Amino acid sequence: METIQTHAAGPQGELPLSDTMLREWSSGDLFGLTQNAGMGWSPQELLGPQYLILSTQGGVRAPDGTPIALGYHTGHWEVGLLVQAAAREIKSLGGVPFAGHVSDPCDGRTQGTVGMFDSLPYRNDAAVVLRRLIRSLPQRQGIVGVATCDKGLPAMMLALAGTSQFPSVIVPGGVTLPPSEGEDAGKVQTIGARYVQGEMSLHDAAVAGCAACATPGGGCQFLGTAATSQVIAEALGMALPHSALAPSGQPIWLDLATRSARAVHQLATRKLALKDILTEKSLHNAMVVHAACGGSTNLLLHVPAIAHAAGLRRPTSADWSDINRRVPRFVSVLPNGPVAHPTVRMFLAGGVPEIMLHLRNLKLLELDALTVTGHTWGDVLDWWERSSRRQMVRQVLQERDRVQPDDVIIPPAEAKHRGLTSTVCFPHGNICPEGSVIKATSIDPVVVDADGVYRKTGPARVFTSERDAIKAVKGQTPQPIKPGDILVLIGRGPMGSGMEETYQITSALKFLKWGREVAVVTDARFSGVSTGACIGHVGPEALAGGPIGKVQDGDIIQIIVDRNNLEGTVNWIGDGVNTYTPEQGALVLAARLPRADLFPDKDLPADTRLWAALQRVGGGTWGGCVYDVDKIIATLAAGEAALAKP
């Protein structure tokens, strides 16, 4: 009791006030100075320009890095170190750094659980909170956004794009290293399915599961949604050149935060804002880089959302299709390969600037698009081509891993010779009249015909629950999934499950010996590391009246995907007795009633139901799952008017 204080002396000194400040400043601005002094900032340094550092930090680390309280994932575990480095640099430049954070969930941790129902909706929620934090620091001069993973980084990009009148820089949180011996973080997520199917022992599963995240920070080692989002942030010009996919925790990674703080200060000095960087040209460059590296299809949701937040035209599926037809894929990394290089090797091979050097040679870039360096991509690539940094990282890759950089980021002509094909295809058909998406490059070449076309006709195995579907894949049901089946998972779009990822299904099929003989068709979405003949984003979703919600067990589905021309169809062509043309099949499906077991998931949170309704008015999944405020208000007004009529 004797140690309890009831008052204290308070900070010593004086606030640097002036007559003008007391007459003209708001009480909030004046009280902010008092609070700053109360937190221990020197009164003499209070009037420097204020910069806000936002991050997705999670967990609590001791000064030596040991865990006090765990985070949800490695991707937000170390980012506090980046915040500290950026803050120190801002202070050294005479600024006053502020920091806040909005942590993020882990899609890997929530796979196959009800936590996945909050995954995609979380992105919008986090972006809203981040924007509110930005607006709640009235005197901010610029923003640094530190983020790493699947939803936190897209949310950070949405937040900064929505406040693009300020100078802003993204600091990607980098990647965790793969184990020297063992499985990567994508493959290791299939240990349950492989153990049940007798393809690995209990001991091997335990060892692999322990070792996969070889370092304690950064996103996963494959080019999934987290890594692709880092690449896109850089290609948009929002992050410093050669910042995506840096090895988390290492000096080259930490230096990025210091240089990013310097960059935002320079942007403010030059009166350049993010709106000068985020343009139609930068969106084009990001989509071109996405195609070249074979990135996650989840960016088809995030890039349109970033465009919408920035007040730009949202790219459509036709825009994505056009770019993927024109842009070759020439990056060989996990999960699509053909060689399973981890993403840190992509960074060491030169990362985004190296990819863009090749794209410049192919005349596919908008070289006058600005970056957060204040220079155009044309100038940046001229620097990169002759830079000592480029020589250094490529030399490290050769000496440490005995890997040639040009075997990771492959010259496009050589990549074509090695059989690399373009990335994304958008099949249509009587099951998906509004379209669907498949990462065509990820289909196992063994099941692709000699002409480059994947053709599959087989019986539908229909599930309205991912839990039931994975049991059938594992062989834990009376009628397990078998080679030749087409697994149809319905009612898992935004209205049914928040458009959950279904990676536990697609990854199991990738790593089971017979999985290549099974296709997946769903109104859900896929993890960025999913591979195989997996067709998602089927529209309309089942609960919105889509034909996919009328498919029954035993119906015959025909899938055709041309990997060369990026064209495809998904059609219902029979009921197991009668065979129809796709046109006839459309009429038969139209006459059917939806399945009697088609309902939103019983565990779907009310928060997610609200998100699903709002994003549907804003353009739905093909529009980026955004909140289009004008359309939402107009829809509510129309509804109120209709209800008011007698």
Side-chain angles (χ1 to χ4, degrees):
M1 292 290 290
E2 293 80 7
T3 62
I4 297 176
Q5 290 184 235
T6 59
H7 53 82
Q12 300 301 301
E14 298 180 354
L15 294 181
L17 299 176
S18 68
D19 175 78
T20 300
M21 291 166 64
L22 288 171
R23 291 181 184 276
E24 298 182 4
W25 278 29
S26 70
S27 65
D29 288 333
L30 293 169
F31 183 57
L33 297 178
T34 300
Q35 297 242 44
N36 297 345
M39 288 183 280
W41 203 261
S42 169
Q44 290 73 37
E45 298 174 325
L46 288 176
L47 294 185
Q50 297 179 3
Y51 289 88
L52 176 58
I53 308 167
L54 291 173
S55 78
T56 55
Q57 180 178 354
V60 180
R61 291 160 46 94
D64 64 358
T66 56
I68 296 173
L70 294 173
Y72 289 8
H73 54 102
T74 59
H76 63 206
W77 177 246
E78 286 184 337
V79 297
L81 301 176
L82 295 171
V83 173
Q84 290 180 36
R88 291 191 183 101
E89 182 65 14
I90 287 169
K91 186 176 182 182
S92 76
L93 295 169
V96 180
F98 289 75
H101 65 265
V102 178
S103 197
D104 54 354
C106 175
D107 283 358
R109 186 180 293 274
T110 59
Q111 290 292 337
T113 76
V114 295
M116 183 53 69
F117 299 171
D118 288 293
S119 170
L120 184 54
Y122 169 87
R123 183 204 67 181
N124 288 13
D125 296 343
V128 168
V129 175
L130 288 165
R131 282 194 294 266
R132 291 190 187 280
L133 287 174
I134 291 168
R135 294 191 293 265
S136 296
L137 189 66
Q139 293 194 15
R140 70 286 189 212
Q141 301 296 305
I143 305 123
V144 175
V146 185
T148 305
C149 279
D150 294 35
K151 298 305 172 301
L153 182 48
M156 189 69 74
M157 288 191 279
L158 286 182
L160 299 189
T163 53
S164 61
Q165 68 270 34
F166 300 107
S168 300
V169 178
I170 289 283
V171 183
V175 295
T176 186
L177 296 185
S180 300
E181 294 183 10
E183 299 181 352
D184 67 84
K187 184 175 183 179
V188 82
Q189 293 182 53
T190 70
I191 55 177
R194 286 183 288 151
Y195 171 74
V196 171
Q197 291 284 357
E199 295 190 9
M200 68 187 313
S201 69
L202 179 61
H203 170 74
D204 289 344
V207 171
C210 186
C213 296
T215 51
C220 293
Q221 309 110 335
F222 45 78
L223 198 66
T225 306
T228 306
S229 295
Q230 294 188 35
V231 167
I232 291 300
E234 186 177 334
L236 283 167
M238 297 177 74
L240 288 179
H242 200 234
S243 59
L245 314 180
S248 181
Q250 298 187 33
I252 195 170
W253 168 85
L254 203 60
D255 175 64
L256 290 170
T258 301
R259 292 192 294 113
S260 296
R262 200 176 308 145
V264 79
H265 182 269
Q266 291 170 351
L267 288 174
T269 301
R270 296 178 58 185
K271 300 190 183 307
L272 285 173
L274 191 61
K275 62 183 175 60
D276 300 310
I277 294 162
L278 268 183
T279 64
E280 296 282 354
K281 291 181 178 181
S282 63
L283 285 171
H284 168 86
N285 287 343
M287 294 168 70
V288 167
V289 169
H290 178 275
C293 67
S296 162
T297 55
N298 275 325
L299 272 295
L300 274 66
L301 299 170
H302 301 320
V303 171
I306 294 165
H308 179 264
L312 302 171
R313 185 184 73 86
R314 284 179 272 180
T316 65
S317 61
D319 296 324
W320 287 101
S321 183
D322 174 65
I323 282 178
N324 276 270
R325 286 191 175 103
R326 292 191 289 121
V327 178
R329 180 174 71 96
F330 51 85
V331 177
S332 180
V333 294
L334 286 163
N336 299 323
V339 178
H341 294 296
T343 42
V344 69
R345 289 182 182 170
M346 180 174 159
F347 174 80
L348 295 174
V352 172
E354 195 71 21
I355 293 170
M356 293 181 89
L357 279 182
H358 292 297
L359 292 169
R360 181 176 69 173
N361 293 338
L362 296 172
K363 302 188 185 307
L364 289 167
L365 291 178
E366 297 286 354
L367 294 171
D368 56 347
L370 276 177
T371 72
V372 291
T373 64
H375 300 288
T376 66
W377 269 115
D379 292 337
V380 167
L381 294 179
D382 286 342
W383 160 78
W384 176 255
E385 194 167 23
R386 59 179 184 270
S387 71
S388 58
R389 182 183 180 94
R390 181 189 184 215
Q391 295 174 2
M392 180 270 291
V393 292
R394 288 166 67 88
Q395 183 177 348
V396 168
L397 181 58
Q398 294 178 76
E399 293 180 354
R400 302 281 171 82
D401 284 8
R402 300 290 187 261
V403 171
Q404 293 299 317
D406 286 352
D407 285 334
V408 180
I409 300 175
I410 310 169
E414 176 62 20
K416 183 177 181 180
H417 177 72
R418 296 186 190 184
L420 275 71
T421 56
S422 295
T423 306
V424 181
C425 177
F426 298 88
H428 285 71
N430 61 29
I431 288 180
C432 46
E434 290 183 357
S436 62
V437 64
I438 181 172
K439 193 187 286 187
T441 192
S442 70
I443 303 174
D444 193 316
V446 172
V447 295
V448 177
D449 293 340
D451 59 358
V453 179
Y454 171 77
R455 299 176 177 89
K456 184 173 185 61
T457 300
R461 294 295 314 282
V462 185
F463 300 89
T464 59
S465 147
E466 189 193 18
R467 291 179 287 271
D468 292 339
I470 191 62
K471 286 180 181 178
V473 170
K474 289 181 175 180
Q476 296 174 320
T477 60
Q479 291 182 298
I481 294 292
K482 61 183 184 301
D485 286 343
I486 296 179
L487 193 161
V488 181
L489 181 61
I490 65 174
R492 314 314 291 179
M495 296 172 66
S497 70
M499 204 177 188
E500 65 186 344
E501 281 189 351
T502 56
Y503 180 61
Q504 66 167 345
I505 293 174
T506 59
S507 61
L509 292 173
K510 174 180 173 62
F511 292 108
L512 292 174
K513 294 176 181 177
W514 47 268
R516 68 183 62 163
E517 303 297 335
V518 175
V520 178
V521 180
T522 181
D523 53 6
R525 62 192 175 94
F526 299 124
S527 162
V529 73
S530 289
T531 57
C534 305
I535 297 169
H537 297 223
V538 165
E541 63 175 302
L543 285 162
I548 192 174
K550 300 178 179 181
V551 177
Q552 302 288 341
D553 260 23
D555 285 347
I556 304 302
I557 308 296
Q558 180 190 67
I559 302 171
I560 301 174
V561 178
D562 184 335
R563 300 205 309 169
N564 298 318
N565 297 312
L566 294 185
E567 298 173 345
T569 56
V570 184
N571 284 305
W572 184 97
I573 60 168
D575 55 14
V577 177
N578 302 298
T579 301
Y580 303 94
T581 66
E583 294 74 19
Q584 292 169 332
L587 297 174
V588 174
L589 281 179
R592 278 187 177 181
L593 294 174
R595 293 175 59 97
D597 58 352
L598 184 60
F599 297 102
D601 194 286
K602 63 180 179 59
D603 294 319
L604 189 67
D607 297 331
T608 300
R609 290 176 58 206
L610 178 60
W611 165 84
L614 294 176
Q615 65 84 35
R616 186 180 178 193
V617 175
T621 55
W622 294 108
C625 296
V626 301
Y627 298 154
D628 188 322
V629 176
D630 291 337
K631 285 188 176 181
I632 291 169
I633 291 173
T635 301
L636 288 172
E640 289 176 342
L643 291 171
K645 291 180 180 179

